[in-house]
Amino acid sequence: PLTRPRSSSCQRMSYPPPPDFYRLYAPPLASGEGGAAAGGSAHAPPPGPPPPVKGEYTVFGSGHSTITVEAPFEQSKLYRSDVDLRLELKRLNSEVLRRFTALTLNLAEVPSQYARRVEEIALLCNNLHHLLNAIRPSQARATLEHVLREQVRQKREKVEELRGHAAAAAAAMAGAPADFVHTVEVATAATTATAAPNWLARGNSGVRSQSAAVEGGEERMQIDG
């Protein structure tokens, strides 16, 4: 199969870049179009991403919507939606602790009033749960923004590291003899020119072998049936 080794850092990424072999699945260019060969071996650039979906859409047979609708809260609402929700969460959490302390005192002094305290704590917990569900979209956006910023920071660090190595290599080559520099440039150009066609050829052969294996399995299934 056509695979590529992945580093441990890439495996830990939440949104890794697409694999290199996705270029093999682009439709081939026609003969003579864009310098393509007669056999149609050249490939068109991959298509761009589809436009963002707005409204209703279907994924694996399940309907979804991009419009977030807050579920109605059928109990008494103990928080305000027009203020900082983080402060409301802290306030409700502190209120739960106070009501729990009152419950323990009632169990020791007035056991007959425990049911009322339990109902109060249950109402506060339900408000906390509903408020947490209401801020999930904001949490998801903040998480995605943090992940993307972290990826940009890591890529910039790698680019700066590569630039530093390139500058060091250029400084080392500056003191080398002229014929040695010319030999290195010729060898680098030849390696670059032959690496991409060989990689595409290996990828196409892997795809063809996978297709042959699938067709052979289908024929065996028909014979067995």
Side-chain angles (χ1 to χ4, degrees):
L2 182 61
T3 59
R4 66 166 182 169
R6 289 175 174 267
S7 62
S8 58
S9 61
C10 184
Q11 293 177 356
R12 291 194 299 266
M13 294 173 61
S14 301
Y15 302 95
D20 294 336
F21 59 81
Y22 79 97
R23 299 184 182 88
L24 299 177
Y25 299 94
L29 292 173
S31 177
E33 182 179 351
S41 59
H43 290 266
V53 178
K54 294 182 179 180
E56 302 292 334
Y57 64 96
T58 303
V59 177
F60 298 112
S62 301
H64 302 273
S65 177
T66 58
I67 302 174
T68 304
V69 179
E70 184 177 354
F73 189 59
E74 299 178 355
Q75 298 181 355
S76 299
K77 191 175 181 180
L78 303 179
Y79 64 90
R80 296 173 54 187
S81 302
D82 56 345
V83 298
D84 192 351
L85 298 182
R86 294 173 296 182
L87 298 178
E88 292 296 303
L89 283 173
K90 293 180 180 180
R91 184 181 63 80
L92 290 176
N93 187 45
S94 301
E95 188 66 24
V96 168
L97 295 177
R98 285 195 293 268
R99 298 299 173 91
F100 182 78
T101 303
L103 173 62
T104 56
L105 293 176
N106 287 142
L107 290 176
E109 299 175 358
V110 190
S112 60
Q113 296 183 1
Y114 83 94
R116 178 184 175 185
R117 298 302 181 186
V118 171
E119 292 178 358
E120 293 174 351
I121 294 175
L123 180 59
L124 287 170
C125 291
N126 291 336
N127 275 266
L128 280 169
H129 186 268
H130 188 265
L131 183 56
L132 286 173
N133 289 336
I135 63 176
R136 290 300 182 191
S138 301
Q139 180 186 8
R141 287 192 294 269
T143 302
L144 178 59
E145 182 180 358
H146 171 72
V147 170
L148 295 178
R149 289 181 182 274
E150 186 66 18
Q151 290 183 2
V152 170
R153 183 189 64 81
Q154 293 177 0
K155 290 180 179 180
R156 287 179 176 175
E157 290 180 355
K158 295 299 181 181
V159 168
E160 292 298 328
E161 183 178 354
L162 289 175
R163 287 176 178 173
H165 291 317
M173 294 294 293
D179 54 349
F180 177 75
V181 175
H182 178 70
T183 302
V184 172
E185 292 177 352
V186 171
T188 303
T191 304
T192 305
T194 57
N198 292 336
W199 180 78
L200 287 175
R202 291 195 301 270
N204 290 330
S205 62
V207 172
R208 286 194 296 269
S209 62
Q210 290 180 359
S211 301
V214 171
E215 293 176 357
E218 293 177 352
E219 292 178 358
R220 287 193 297 271
M221 291 176 63
Q222 295 176 358
I223 293 175
D224 295 339

